[in-house]
Amino acid sequence: MLGRTILFACVLALAGCNEFKLKTDDGKKTYTSGDVVTVYAERDGARVDETTLSPGWIEWSTLGVGYLGTGPELMTSQLPPGRHWIEAKVMSPSGKVLQRGGIQLTIEQQAPRPEILSIRFVPGDMLLLAGTASDFEDGAIPPSKMVWYVDDKKVGRGERLTVYGVGPGKHSVRLEATDSKRMRTGVMELVEAPAATGAAPPVAAASTPAGNAAPGGGASTPGILGALSGQ
């Protein structure tokens, strides 16, 4: 009984202190959705642990999401994009709130991830393109939201595309994807069309980022490079 009295006195001491703060493990307050965020409580410059809290505990919550768990620290990767006020409440064994602390965190939307799967030149100055795109929040990006460019000219949309009028020589191929929040990213490949009339083997390599994400439609669509020079 005496032991419980002493432990409860520790909780009251925690509640009575003036310096009850919340901090993140890495010192950041801005994260990308899917990141693991760790928030902990600090008293008088020292990190709070189970011994300090016993027999009480900390409850974690945030507006919009609600209850997040208990314990001396919060570790989560489930916060949706937006601003979040994370609150920690020191609870007594009777359920009374002894002290509160809070910290504001910002979770940013992840940009979509387009990928060029293959590039193939075929006789007749034709270019066959294949790609895919996904997004952390949305899942698969619709083909209508995947746009292809050859030599900086827009040539069509879709996961697969046939482009006509691509002559021999070096060309840039770019695939851009836009998610439901109008964030857009692109990847690019530099390829060389053969001068010979025979079909060339497919070109498949890791896509190269073609620019930072920026706020900005699924069957494949044929593209005609020469007819789109004004786009």
Side-chain angles (χ1 to χ4, degrees):
M1 184 66 180
L2 178 61
R4 286 186 59 83
T5 302
I6 294 174
L7 290 173
F8 187 56
C10 292
V11 177
L12 292 177
L14 172 63
C17 72
N18 293 323
E19 293 294 324
F20 181 68
K21 297 181 178 180
L22 302 185
K23 295 185 177 181
T24 57
D25 246 359
D26 51 14
K28 300 193 304 182
K29 292 186 178 181
T30 300
Y31 298 87
T32 302
S33 56
D35 287 349
V36 177
V37 180
T38 301
V39 184
Y40 65 91
E42 185 179 272
R43 175 171 66 95
D44 293 336
R47 190 162 178 160
V48 172
D49 58 21
E50 295 282 4
T51 302
T52 306
L53 292 170
S54 180
W57 65 91
I58 289 180
E59 287 188 0
W60 299 88
S61 63
T62 181
L63 294 175
V65 177
Y67 175 80
L68 295 174
T70 61
E73 70 176 28
L74 169 70
M75 182 181 293
T76 180
S77 61
Q78 303 304 311
L79 295 175
R83 292 182 179 180
H84 299 274
W85 179 255
I86 307 296
E87 184 179 60
K89 296 185 295 186
V90 181
M91 309 297 294
S92 73
S94 65
K96 181 181 178 180
V97 178
L98 301 176
Q99 186 139 15
R100 298 173 186 265
I103 186 172
Q104 181 169 291
L105 303 179
T106 299
I107 308 297
E108 296 181 339
Q109 178 100 359
Q110 278 198 31
R113 298 180 296 275
E115 181 182 0
I116 297 174
L117 299 178
S118 66
I119 301 171
R120 184 182 179 91
F121 295 98
V122 298
D125 291 341
M126 288 192 301
L127 180 61
L128 306 181
L129 305 173
T132 187
S134 61
D135 182 75
F136 181 82
E137 293 84 9
D138 298 345
I141 297 294
S144 59
K145 297 296 184 180
M146 299 168 55
V147 182
W148 293 90
Y149 297 82
V150 176
D151 298 331
D152 294 325
K153 298 179 179 67
K154 182 179 176 179
V155 295
R157 299 172 181 266
E159 295 177 327
R160 296 181 179 274
L161 189 72
T162 301
V163 184
Y164 300 92
V166 182
K170 295 182 179 180
H171 300 277
S172 65
V173 176
R174 186 169 85 253
L175 174 62
E176 291 187 353
T178 304
D179 64 16
S180 62
K181 299 297 184 181
R182 300 182 64 81
M183 293 190 71
R184 183 176 67 247
T185 49
V187 290
M188 184 176 68
E189 293 289 342
L190 298 176
V191 295
E192 186 167 359
T197 57
V203 176
S207 300
T208 303
N212 295 328
S220 63
T221 307
I224 303 176
L225 181 61
L228 295 169
S229 60
Q231 294 190 22

